[in-house]
Amino acid sequence: MAQTVILKSNRYGINLILDDQVGFDKLLTDIIAKFQEADSFFKGAKMALSFEGRRLTQEEEMRIVNAITSHSSVSIVCIVDNDQLREQMIKEVIENQEEEAAVKTGQFYKGTLRSGQVLECETSIVILGDVNPGAKIVSRGNIVVLGGLKGNAYAGAGGNPGAFVAALDMDPVQIKIGDVIGRSADKAFWPKGKKKKKTEPVVEPQVAIVKDNNIYIEPITKGLLNNL
């Protein structure tokens, strides 16, 4: 009998290859069984999760994540696809969770944060969507937005200036890291001390970090990621 669920490791987590012919409840039961069988191998690992072979709704993805975390010691940091850039950004979140005693676990949020919404968490956070103007993210760890950051972001909320904010499309109203605040009108807020022109929006992946008590936003490069 063919397996309905196959666990395949990738660079930063597990890829679930799912049968698209069986009912979802049966599939969920088989996923739980697979992770219970492999729990002694995972030993409380923090990992990203990706899916293959079956189209899932957001609700089904959340049910799978909840089932895995409820029936095994695995901590799912986020859901990702196979895009290399996204994997690299997720890698930085996972590594910083291991290195920073104050940030022991990670969370993810899938969807768009709209004006008036505030998302707060005690850990690093990965947003799978956009953060619209008027929305706000507050995290004691790092913030990674796999979409457009156009609202407010506050990383290192416990006073950690070593935290960072990364986004695929960086266009925030305000960023705060630790006790340092940067606004879109501040010269130090943009790379090389230049103001961002509204007619020339930055659409490349960027990361905001603290340097010399100022917040700088720089393009994401391999060298920069290695130094975070």
Side-chain angles (χ1 to χ4, degrees), residues 100-184:
E100 299 172 12
V103 186
K104 297 181 180 179
T105 58
Q107 299 181 30
F108 73 93
Y109 177 91
K110 187 173 184 179
T112 295
L113 286 178
R114 306 190 184 282
S115 179
Q117 290 184 297
V118 178
L119 179 62
E120 299 185 45
C121 57
E122 294 295 314
T123 68
S124 290
I125 181 75
V126 178
I127 308 294
L128 303 176
D130 296 329
V131 180
N132 287 347
K136 183 178 182 180
I137 315 170
V138 180
S139 169
R140 291 180 64 86
N142 306 308
I143 296 173
V144 176
V145 179
L146 301 183
L149 173 57
K150 303 178 186 300
N152 296 347
Y154 181 10
N160 176 18
F164 65 83
V165 178
L168 295 184
D169 182 6
M170 184 78 79
D171 188 19
V173 173
Q174 182 187 91
I175 285 181
K176 183 176 180 181
I177 300 177
D179 297 323
V180 183
I181 299 177
R183 299 178 180 84
S184 58

Side-chain angles (χ1 to χ4, degrees), residues 28-46:
L28 196 62
T29 299
D30 292 347
I31 290 173
I32 292 172
K34 279 287 186 181
F35 274 86
Q36 287 179 330
E37 290 173 5
D39 198 43
S40 60
F41 173 77
F42 292 132
K43 297 179 181 178
K46 300 178 182 66

Side-chain angles (χ1 to χ4, degrees), residues 7 21 26 29 33-34 37 68 79 82 86 90 98 101 103 109 115 128 153-154 166 169 189 195 198 202 215 223:
L7 274 63
Q21 301 299 314
K26 164 63 175 172
T29 299
K34 279 287 186 181
E37 290 173 5
I68 293 172
I79 297 174
N82 292 322
R86 294 189 181 191
I90 298 306
E98 298 294 336
V103 186
Y109 177 91
S115 179
L128 303 176
Y154 181 10
D169 182 6
F189 192 52
K195 291 184 178 179
K198 292 183 178 180
V202 177
I215 290 179

